[in-house]
Amino acid sequence: GLQHRMAGGALSWAAAWQQRRLEQSTLHAGQSQQQALTWCLREAQRPLGPLQGTTDTSTFRNHLPLIKASQAQEEESGGQLLPPMSTQCYGEASLQATLLGLAALSKAFPEVLTPGGIACVTPTSPWPRPLPWPWRILDKVVSTSGAKHPGALLLEALRSPGLRALEAGTATELLDVFSGLEANGEELAEAMAAGNPGSPLPSRAAELREALDLGPRGLALRLWPKLQVVVTLDAGGQTEAVAALEALWCHGLAFFSPAYAASGGVVGLNLWPEQAHGRYLLPPGAPFIELLPVKEGAQEEAASTVLLAEAQKGEEYELVLTNHAGLARCRLGDVVQVVGAYNQCPVVRFVRRLGQALNVRGEDIQEDVFAEALGRAVGQWPGAKLLDHSCMESSILDSSQGSAPHYEVFVALRGLRNLSEENRDKLDHCLQEVSPHYKSLRFRGSVGPARVHLVGRGAFRELRAALAACPSSRFPPEMPRVLRHRHLAEGLQRRVLS
């Protein structure tokens, strides 16, 4: 107990120091970004060329063109795909995000950091960086769980009824955990009862069986009555998983993401655990962040980037990152909207990812627009709750033979075991409501009706496993909503139930 209190005090001191540094850097965002650029150039792991000896932002932007993430990866690796990035995004920004995130979480939920208060149920952690000494004593509370099997991690958590916070690498991973808990609940109960004869755990096994018998809604609070918050790391494609968890297994609990991370490092800090949906401060330190305005119908090549202090509230921007490793002005494809300011730096919310659009006849339906239409449609399917989805253009599966090009949509649902033709048609009607261009193409017959397929339990878990096995897989893992590769699409197609 004494060691834990001392570690907690040291954590509070370090977080306060990081908060003061953040205040100073955001008050002078231009100067801080200049220092970040200078650091990136000084530490560059590739020749500087015409940038040698300069730290001027205009010169930097003139000599380094914008490139997309896939191009940056190929350039860094000499044309070869890079190996997956480490599970932890190391660096000063990641340490700052972890310390400030823990401090904010502790302030919003004061009892979370008590001994035995937190359990991580996935091999990956939502915290961008492991805690260094002297906070290792807190590892049993806020731990990165190494390479343990998810089943073993879940079993450890189930043995601790006093948990106050549940951690998972991402929301989609946590969704897999709860799906596995329902599928393997009896095995877990037997393991708890058989492995501890004469202990209180056999009664805990009975509690697990009773909690599962009452269905998914509110399951987490039945298993852990003191639970207050779920901690996951925000990454692309997580919105549906969060919505499903909030509506079912984790109903009644707050959700908190300590940071917004991309393959280039920590991009945003979350200082507001009480906010229902993640809002992130874009800090002015390394990696060097620029914002590329996103204008509907505008030529992207004609746009120029702005620095953090120049961001306008209400506008949408694509994130551009430069770090010392690649020294490339890399367009991440992540689009954010500025919703506020913290001193001179923007506070943003994630909107969508570029490259996740459907486009068979020039209609260009973006990820967020399609998600809105699908959400409307599922809301009209009695008893259905959307767990996951992915879609593709019909050319990927060669399914347009004898018909107009169309969308192939694969959904995982709770509460509905079969899709009627009437239900399938509702998605196409909702797509026409949210996209006048799509409606016009449908009216002319240039685009055929969307085809909706219901897949079985575990189909998307297998898809994520296949993606993680790819040499170019990123951290944090992103859930693609539009598939471009035939073998991935065929994997879903093999799991179709209806």
Side-chain angles (χ1 to χ4, degrees), residues 386-454:
L386 181 65
L387 302 182
D388 228 330
H389 91 272
S390 199
C391 50
M392 64 216 64
E393 296 158 6
S394 55
S395 58
I396 301 296
L397 287 171
D398 293 331
S399 56
S400 292
Q401 299 169 354
S403 62
H406 56 273
Y407 307 154
E408 297 282 351
V409 184
F410 297 83
V411 296
L413 300 173
R414 182 89 191 197
L416 196 62
R417 299 193 178 192
N418 190 31
L419 281 175
S420 66
E421 287 304 316
E422 181 183 0
N423 285 341
R424 297 175 202 270
D425 290 341
K426 287 177 181 176
L427 173 58
D428 198 74
H429 293 316
C430 291
L431 282 169
Q432 294 182 47
E433 290 175 0
V434 299
S435 174
H437 193 175
Y438 179 83
K439 182 177 182 179
S440 173
L441 292 169
R442 286 284 295 114
F443 179 77
R444 297 201 303 265
S446 302
V447 173
R451 298 178 183 177
V452 188
H453 312 280
L454 177 62

Side-chain angles (χ1 to χ4, degrees), residues 138 184 189 238 260 264 281 336 345 349 365 393 416 434 467:
L138 295 175
N184 306 308
Q238 306 295 316
Y260 187 84
L281 163 66
V336 297
C345 289
R349 70 175 183 90
I365 294 186
E393 296 158 6
L416 196 62
V434 299
L467 289 163

Side-chain angles (χ1 to χ4, degrees), residues 235-457:
Q238 306 295 316
T239 305
E240 285 176 1
V242 171
L245 289 165
E246 287 178 329
L248 295 173
W249 299 277
C250 299
H251 181 70
L253 296 173
F255 275 71
F256 174 59
S257 169
Y260 187 84
S263 59
V266 170
V267 177
L269 310 177
N270 189 350
L271 308 179
W272 306 276
E274 68 281 358
Q275 292 284 349
H277 301 286
R279 295 189 172 200
Y280 301 97
L281 163 66
L282 300 183
F288 183 71
I289 302 175
E290 300 171 79
L291 300 171
L292 181 64
V294 176
K295 301 292 185 182
E296 186 175 352
Q299 293 295 321
E300 58 183 32
E301 291 80 5
S304 59
T305 60
V306 299
L307 299 180
L308 297 181
E310 302 166 334
Q312 299 296 313
K313 185 175 181 180
E315 295 297 319
E316 293 185 356
Y317 300 93
E318 182 184 359
L319 295 173
V320 177
L321 241 63
T322 302
N323 60 28
H324 68 285
L327 198 63
R329 298 173 65 217
C330 180
R331 294 176 52 183
L332 298 184
D334 290 13
V335 176
V336 297
Q337 182 185 48
V338 178
V339 295
Y342 187 95
N343 293 328
Q344 292 184 351
C345 289
V347 176
V348 302
R349 70 175 183 90
F350 175 78
V351 177
R352 63 182 179 275
R353 294 167 295 172
L354 300 176
Q356 294 287 291
L358 292 161
N359 194 10
V360 295
R361 291 290 191 194
E363 69 280 11
D364 194 32
I365 294 186
Q366 298 290 334
E367 178 184 24
D368 54 334
V369 175
F370 184 88
E372 179 187 349
L374 182 58
R376 289 187 189 182
V378 174
Q380 300 175 46
W381 300 347
K385 178 61 187 175
L386 181 65
L387 302 182
D388 228 330
H389 91 272
S390 199
C391 50
M392 64 216 64
E393 296 158 6
S394 55
S395 58
I396 301 296
L397 287 171
D398 293 331
S399 56
S400 292
Q401 299 169 354
S403 62
H406 56 273
Y407 307 154
E408 297 282 351
V409 184
F410 297 83
V411 296
L413 300 173
R414 182 89 191 197
L416 196 62
R417 299 193 178 192
N418 190 31
L419 281 175
S420 66
E421 287 304 316
E422 181 183 0
N423 285 341
R424 297 175 202 270
D425 290 341
K426 287 177 181 176
L427 173 58
D428 198 74
H429 293 316
C430 291
L431 282 169
Q432 294 182 47
E433 290 175 0
V434 299
S435 174
H437 193 175
Y438 179 83
K439 182 177 182 179
S440 173
L441 292 169
R442 286 284 295 114
F443 179 77
R444 297 201 303 265
S446 302
V447 173
R451 298 178 183 177
V452 188
H453 312 280
L454 177 62
V455 298
R457 183 196 296 267

